[in-house]
Amino acid sequence: MRRRHLLPRPGAAMPRVVGAVAIVAALGAAAACGVPAARFPADVQAALAGADMRRMETAQLLLYYPEGRRALAERMAARLEGCATALRAHARLDNRASREKMIVVVPDAPFNNAYVLPPVAGLEDVAVVPAANTLDFTTSFGLPPDPGMVGCHELVHYVHAKQIAGLWGALRVAFGELVSPQVGLDAWFFEGLATYYEARLVPGVGRPRWPVFTSMFHAAYAGGELGGGDLATEHRRAWVGHHYLVGTMFVEYLAETYGEAPLWRVIELQARSTSILFSVSGRFAEVYGKGLPALVGDFQRWVAARSPVRRRAPGQRVVQALGEDARWAWGPAGEVAVIDGDLDLPARLRVWDGAGRLLDERALVDLVPPRRQVMAAPLLVSGLGFAADGSLWFTSVDQGATYQTTRLFRWRRGGGLAEVARDLGPGGAIAPDGASYVHMVVDGDRWSLAARDLATGARRVLWEAAPGQYALRAGFARDGARLAVSVWDGARFAVWELDATTGARLATHTGDGDTPVFDGAYTDDGRLVLLAVVDGRFQVAVAGAGGARRVVSDAPYGALEVRARGGALRFLARDGWRYTLDELALPGPETEAETEAGAGAGSGPEPEPGSEPEPGSVPETDPGSGSAPALAPAPVRVLDDRPYSRLDGLLRPTLHTLALLAPAVGVNQVGLALAGGDRLDLVRWAVAGYVDPGDRKLSGAGGVILNDLAPWVLVAHGQRLHFTEEVRDDDGALIAAYEREVRDAVLALGRTWRGTYGVAAGGAYALDRVDATTLRLYGPELTLGYAAIEPTRASGPRRGLALSAGGAWFPRPAGDLQELRGRLDVYAPVVGTRRHVVHATLRGHAVGGAPGPLIAIGGEAALPALWSSGDAPAELGLGDGVLPRQRRFGEPLRGFEDLPVAAARVALADLTWRYPLIVDRGVPSLGFLPASFLSELEVEVFAAGALVEPAAARTRHLLAAGGALTVRLSLFRLPLALRYQASRRLTDDRGYLQLVMLGPRS
């Protein structure tokens, strides 16, 4: 019999109940506007809207998949059913919420990601797992790009989030998808738990068992130098995310030390907690006998013992220091090419000649149209290599018009970088003669291997993968006759040697059991070098004749991408948070007589004539492996499979909650908010209705999102607020009372291309009635945008160019109004620095057709002001008698936050120098309070000016200068920015202004 936690500890009930009421009120307020929220990003939504979808039901799943993918859907469902059964066996709660069938949406698009949306604020929980990926998940994460395996990771989140009981279970029954109490656990627990089971549910895969991923952790934290803040998502040092990297290892420590059951006991306590965010550390203490700070201290000592500081072995030397993530290639004349990125440097390509002279260095992201590439990272790169003529080739995942695509690039000395082809699939290798390029062919849950003739564009399939098999990496022998191909063969990571012409398998190299071997390459004399696992680290091994293999490296934290040239081996090695390019001598063939010298695995002999397996088949036992492939999931029992209906869930409210509305100071209305939508979000809707308990005035709001034309999105929203507004003096005495009615409506159609170009067209309506006076504004609006931003984790936008332009026309009996606005933003690093960034902005805004100026310049701070040395901004009354109060025009101007100026036309300019002082320190909890984290202190120096028409009281020119210090932090998980700003106006009254502001962190 399972124990149930029925009673709170003494003195804990009132804070928990108050916290629960506050959360319910906040979620009710979020629903009060009646604006529906979308569940899917644009590319996923476009894939769902553009395909004939089907709905498959199994014992535990509702799986939505595209027509023509029935076999793939059944294989996915079989894998996911097994994972769901295992996970639910671990979960401690078995109730209505936990037994609900899991909704899995399978878009047929290269989303190259997956996620679970937990139930929150009316959005029904859903898992999104694409049918196919084009990203090299394996090199860094040890995951085949298999939708079923990726889906198992996501189902851990799903089962976790559906552990709901106690007060929150009752609230869910009463109000719908309000919130899962599990959101009170930090992201490190969510992702750490999912990656832990990622490896447990599918033997031989997953980050906790993959030497590349674990070496990142061991190299970074050698000696145990970590703290509670290293678990935070806000920590920027790990490019993979600290909640993944450190969270994975922390959960691994907890499971190894205490077992798996306590993890689920924490989840159970969290499910029953009244207060979601508070006393989380206390729940760990109840289970483990110590709170989070003490557990992190134990974890630190565990890391110190498991991750000792290691030194390079004699003979291993550093050739080049690189960034935190990197890919590299070695050319026939000794050329070296590297694509790497760092905390404060975006992805870049660098090429050196054989003498070490830098030939080229270039950013991979373009800012100016037409933008050859809009996103870049080493993780997105595959198939990097040189041809014999010195040309460099690689494939990169990039953003297409709607969907992600792969682009094949060629670099030539003196000729720069050019796109050669797209949509081939992940890259493999360029042939030594430069005539063909080997790449992966993505077809759902299999990656085959093909060669593209670069002169004709013809494709020749070398190896046809069966479902569940994946060609992952490839490398040519010097003579171009053989290929070393890293594969997931359906049971393990192996390296196959294939005939480069026929695709026939010549040899198979595997590790013991499910231990991987990976990333084969050839020496000048035709020997194979590859990565084999030694003490949990990848080391370089050289394969000899007859299956012998000898480990030749002792890299402190493992090796990656080993390449041979002449008498040397070079590879990527971890060094703290970065990679280095290291070199050691290549042993001669005469030393290869030793067998099995530490590699722990063998190589199969060449198959006998006629014994080659059929293309795409998996032998029951691979030659020389000594073990059989893992069993495939049992076939799934399909209960129902039918075409998708847009009525599926459409009329069932997923949110039906009480809500509060405060349309004016001192006015409170109560009501009911409803929200829902069909399962694929072709239509999403929300409505809300309110009544004032005092005078019984009614208000309401509603909205709808239509995604049938995705990636075009049509949004409609409207509201009518009816209330009595009171005006009181400083002593609270009533001066006047007005009956007020406010109406707003918006209709907009928009989309973006390549995450760069955007358009939104529509119309707006606004009405403001005070007693018998009615002001009305309506008309069409159009906005165009362009954004090309290259950020880094340290400085945010580092290089960038953004433009926007818009206009509106509002017909009126007293004279039509026309509005025009435009903006240009430019970001640039200070030459010779990494984190110093200059941001320049030019803005223009004009409103014509009015009897007087309607644009307020200044008068508002960028963040809510806690304190100001100046007086409260004067009320200019712009638009009184002309515009509804909810539709006024304004432009911010730093230095003039307390001195607004009226204008009909204005040109503004801002110039800011910014430098972040990175702190990145935090604690996992403060007693019963949640985690807090201090990100950075940002220093700014700025100048701002404006040219206004008609002229202000003293001058047409406004100018101010000053500085600011911003503290960016998460206080009890609430992202905040605290800013002190001091400025002086250089025109007008030449006044000084100091501001202390606090608001949401941007």
Side-chain angles (χ1 to χ4, degrees):
M1 180 176 178
R2 292 176 179 170
R3 294 176 57 197
R4 300 182 65 187
H5 186 67
L6 298 177
L7 299 175
R9 291 185 298 276
M14 184 56 67
R16 290 183 175 187
V17 172
V18 171
V21 172
I23 292 170
V24 172
L27 292 169
C33 59
V35 179
R39 291 193 297 170
F40 304 127
D43 49 354
V44 170
Q45 191 65 73
L48 300 178
D52 293 327
M53 300 295 292
R54 297 188 65 85
R55 174 186 180 272
M56 175 186 290
E57 183 176 0
T58 67
Q60 301 178 85
L61 305 172
L62 292 175
L63 193 144
Y64 296 84
Y65 70 95
E67 184 78 48
R69 289 288 197 180
R70 169 69 186 254
L72 168 65
E74 288 186 350
R75 291 191 294 269
M76 281 188 66
R79 173 77 69 183
L80 297 181
E81 279 281 341
C83 294
T85 299
L87 291 166
R88 283 174 161 169
H90 285 291
R92 294 176 63 90
L93 294 176
D94 182 13
N95 56 23
R96 174 178 173 177
S98 67
R99 287 193 296 269
E100 290 176 346
K101 294 194 176 185
M102 290 177 270
I103 301 167
V104 181
V105 173
V106 185
D108 202 356
F111 182 49
N112 289 319
N113 204 344
Y115 68 90
V116 167
L117 179 72
V120 62
L123 295 178
E124 188 179 27
D125 44 329
V126 64
V128 176
V129 182
N133 295 285
T134 56
L135 179 68
D136 174 16
F137 288 112
T138 305
T139 297
S140 296
F141 305 135
L143 278 172
D146 185 272
M149 296 183 191
V150 172
C152 280
H153 174 105
E154 301 307 325
L155 287 199
V156 181
H157 294 316
Y158 212 121
V159 172
H160 177 188
K162 293 299 284 251
Q163 293 287 283
I164 305 171
L167 172 66
W168 297 102
L171 291 174
R172 184 171 185 264
V173 172
F175 299 123
E177 303 294 0
L178 201 61
V179 69
S180 168
Q182 300 301 332
V183 301
L185 294 174
D186 289 299
W188 67 260
F189 189 89
F190 268 87
E191 297 302 344
L193 186 77
T195 51
Y196 174 78
Y197 281 105
E198 171 186 295
R200 300 278 291 178
L201 294 171
V202 185
V205 307
R207 279 160 273 203
R209 301 292 176 265
W210 186 244
V212 179
F213 186 83
T214 56
S215 73
M216 295 184 202
F217 178 84
H218 294 308
Y221 292 106
E225 294 298 323
L226 62 80
D230 289 277
L231 290 161
T233 56
E234 297 94 334
H235 205 303
R236 286 167 283 192
R237 207 63 184 91
W239 68 269
V240 295
H242 280 253
H243 52 309
Y244 283 98
L245 182 66
V246 185
T248 294
M249 303 308 292
F250 189 28
V251 171
E252 183 87 359
Y253 157 74
L254 292 174
E256 178 182 306
T257 306
Y258 299 96
E260 296 179 39
L263 296 168
W264 294 95
R265 174 61 175 153
V266 169
I267 293 172
E268 180 190 15
L269 293 180
Q270 183 68 22
R272 300 184 185 280
S273 65
T274 304
S275 174
I276 294 177
L277 295 175
F278 300 102
S279 300
V280 171
S281 182
R283 289 188 267 285
F284 278 87
E286 188 167 342
V287 173
Y288 291 99
K290 56 186 72 175
L292 274 174
L295 286 171
V296 171
D298 293 345
F299 173 53
Q300 182 181 22
R301 289 182 284 275
W302 181 83
V303 171
R306 296 297 183 90
S307 305
V309 176
R310 301 178 184 272
R311 307 297 180 192
R312 286 179 174 81
Q316 180 179 331
R317 70 179 186 90
V318 176
V319 177
Q320 181 75 41
L322 306 176
E324 292 176 328
D325 193 25
R327 301 292 183 267
W328 85 286
W330 208 356
E335 308 98 323
V336 171
V338 170
I339 293 176
D340 63 348
D342 214 338
L343 173 69
D344 44 18
L345 280 179
R348 54 186 174 160
L349 167 66
R350 291 178 290 170
V351 184
W352 294 268
D353 66 12
R357 292 185 294 267
L358 186 64
L359 299 177
D360 195 7
E361 179 175 2
R362 62 178 61 227
L364 293 178
V365 169
D366 293 324
L367 302 182
V368 179
R371 303 197 73 191
R372 176 181 50 216
Q373 194 167 1
V374 305
M375 64 182 191
L379 177 67
L380 305 178
V381 171
S382 55
L384 181 67
F386 285 95
D389 63 359
S391 60
L392 177 71
W393 301 74
F394 66 93
T395 298
S396 185
V397 176
D398 191 31
Q399 181 63 53
T402 300
Y403 304 109
Q404 291 185 13
T405 184
T406 55
R407 302 184 190 277
L408 175 61
F409 288 106
R410 179 192 63 224
W411 175 91
R412 283 179 173 164
R413 185 171 182 173
L417 196 62
E419 180 182 325
V420 176
R422 67 182 64 172
D423 289 326
L424 300 184
I430 184 69
D433 61 5
S436 63
Y437 186 81
V438 170
H439 62 92
M440 318 308 165
V441 180
V442 175
D443 180 17
D445 59 348
R446 60 177 181 167
W447 283 11
S448 301
L449 187 69
R452 176 186 176 89
D453 188 297
L454 295 173
T456 65
R459 188 181 79 177
R460 177 170 52 92
V461 176
L462 296 174
W463 172 66
E464 188 78 33
Q469 292 183 315
Y470 300 89
L472 301 168
R473 286 192 155 211
F476 276 97
R478 297 289 187 268
D479 59 5
R482 287 179 295 161
L483 278 166
V485 183
S486 297
V487 300
W488 172 260
D489 65 9
R492 64 192 142 245
F493 291 106
V495 173
W496 292 351
E497 294 188 75
L498 303 182
D499 184 289
T501 301
T502 66
R505 196 191 315 180
L506 307 175
T508 299
H509 303 265
T510 63
D512 286 335
D514 58 14
T515 302
V517 294
F518 190 61
D519 198 17
Y522 288 99
T523 64
D524 289 345
D525 56 7
R527 290 176 289 159
L528 179 71
V529 294
L530 47 74
L531 300 176
V533 179
V534 179
D535 295 332
R537 294 171 284 152
F538 269 144
Q539 299 294 352
V540 181
V542 182
R549 193 157 73 226
R550 179 175 180 236
V551 173
V552 298
S553 74
D554 186 19
Y557 304 104
L560 181 64
E561 295 197 341
V562 57
R563 304 291 181 259
R565 184 72 58 192
L569 294 169
R570 287 184 179 178
F571 52 86
L572 298 177
R574 294 302 298 185
D575 189 350
W577 285 105
R578 302 175 183 277
Y579 274 118
T580 58
L581 181 61
D582 284 23
E583 181 179 284
L584 55 79
L586 171 67
E590 66 277 6
T591 65
E592 299 296 321
E594 302 178 44
T595 52
E596 310 292 328
S603 168
E606 295 184 4
E608 295 291 331
S611 67
E612 175 66 16
E614 292 296 320
S617 67
V618 181
E620 291 187 4
T621 304
D622 256 347
S625 70
S627 64
L631 294 176
V636 69
R637 180 171 175 242
V638 176
L639 304 178
D640 186 35
D641 191 345
R642 66 180 68 177
Y644 176 72
S645 168
R646 65 186 307 121
L647 296 178
D648 186 356
L650 176 64
L651 302 179
R652 180 179 65 88
T654 52
L655 181 73
H656 35 87
T657 181
L658 298 174
L660 301 175
L661 180 68
V665 177
V667 179
N668 295 295
Q669 298 182 343
V670 296
L672 177 66
L674 304 176
D678 69 290
R679 285 274 168 75
L680 299 185
D681 260 28
L682 300 179
V683 179
R684 182 147 290 276
W685 57 269
V687 294
Y690 302 89
V691 62
D692 189 315
D695 56 19
R696 299 186 180 181
K697 288 185 172 63
L698 300 178
S699 298
V704 63
I705 299 176
L706 300 178
N707 287 307
D708 289 90
L709 301 177
W712 289 92
V713 178
L714 180 65
V715 178
H717 169 253
Q719 67 174 358
R720 175 188 180 271
L721 308 178
H722 193 196
F723 55 94
T724 300
E725 185 172 10
E726 298 179 347
V727 180
R728 297 180 180 270
D729 61 19
D730 294 340
D731 297 326
L734 181 64
I735 299 175
Y738 304 97
E739 184 174 340
R740 189 172 174 203
E741 181 182 3
V742 175
R743 296 182 185 179
D744 290 285
V746 173
L747 178 68
L749 176 69
R751 70 157 296 180
T752 61
W753 291 263
R754 296 195 72 195
T756 301
Y757 311 93
V759 60
Y765 172 85
L767 177 144
D768 188 8
R769 178 177 292 127
V770 180
D771 289 341
T773 302
T774 300
L775 297 176
R776 184 181 287 107
L777 193 72
Y778 58 90
E781 297 180 300
L782 175 67
T783 300
L784 304 174
Y786 175 90
I789 306 294
E790 184 182 55
T792 67
R793 300 193 310 278
S795 60
R798 186 174 184 269
R799 292 194 312 137
L801 177 65
L803 302 98
S804 64
W809 174 61
F810 304 111
R812 299 167 61 248
D816 298 348
L817 293 181
Q818 308 89 33
E819 182 193 15
L820 293 174
R821 59 193 181 277
R823 177 175 178 137
L824 169 65
D825 287 90
V826 178
Y827 299 87
V830 176
V831 177
T833 70
R834 290 191 171 198
R835 298 181 188 174
H836 297 261
V837 176
V838 173
H839 176 201
T841 303
L842 296 175
R843 290 173 286 155
H845 197 167
V847 177
L854 291 180
I855 306 173
I857 311 302
E860 291 187 2
L863 297 170
L866 297 178
W867 173 82
S868 172
S869 65
D871 296 329
E875 180 60 54
L876 298 179
L878 299 182
D880 289 350
V882 179
L883 301 175
R885 270 194 273 178
Q886 70 269 30
R887 187 62 187 256
R888 301 294 173 96
F889 305 108
E891 291 288 343
L893 183 62
R894 296 182 82 167
F896 286 79
E897 289 87 351
D898 65 335
L899 189 65
V901 176
R905 295 170 296 279
V906 61
L908 306 101
D910 302 87
L911 184 64
T912 304
W913 165 84
R914 178 168 46 86
Y915 181 75
L917 300 168
I918 293 178
V919 179
D920 279 0
R921 294 288 186 272
V923 292
S925 68
L926 285 172
F928 73 94
L929 297 172
S932 293
F933 190 85
L934 178 59
S935 295
E936 67 185 27
L937 305 176
E938 183 184 79
V939 181
E940 286 182 295
V941 176
F942 66 87
L947 178 64
V948 300
E949 288 285 354
R954 298 187 181 182
T955 178
R956 297 174 60 242
H957 303 87
L958 307 177
L959 185 62
L965 178 64
T966 303
V967 180
R968 303 190 189 278
L969 73 160
S970 290
L971 186 62
F972 313 133
R973 289 185 58 181
L974 184 64
L976 296 172
L978 176 64
R979 177 176 298 168
Y980 168 75
Q981 177 178 301
S983 61
R984 184 186 180 187
R985 287 184 282 273
L986 305 179
T987 59
D988 206 73
D989 66 350
R990 299 185 177 272
Y992 291 92
L993 177 63
Q994 299 180 73
L995 290 170
V996 177
M997 297 168 279
L998 178 66
R1001 187 181 68 205
S1002 58

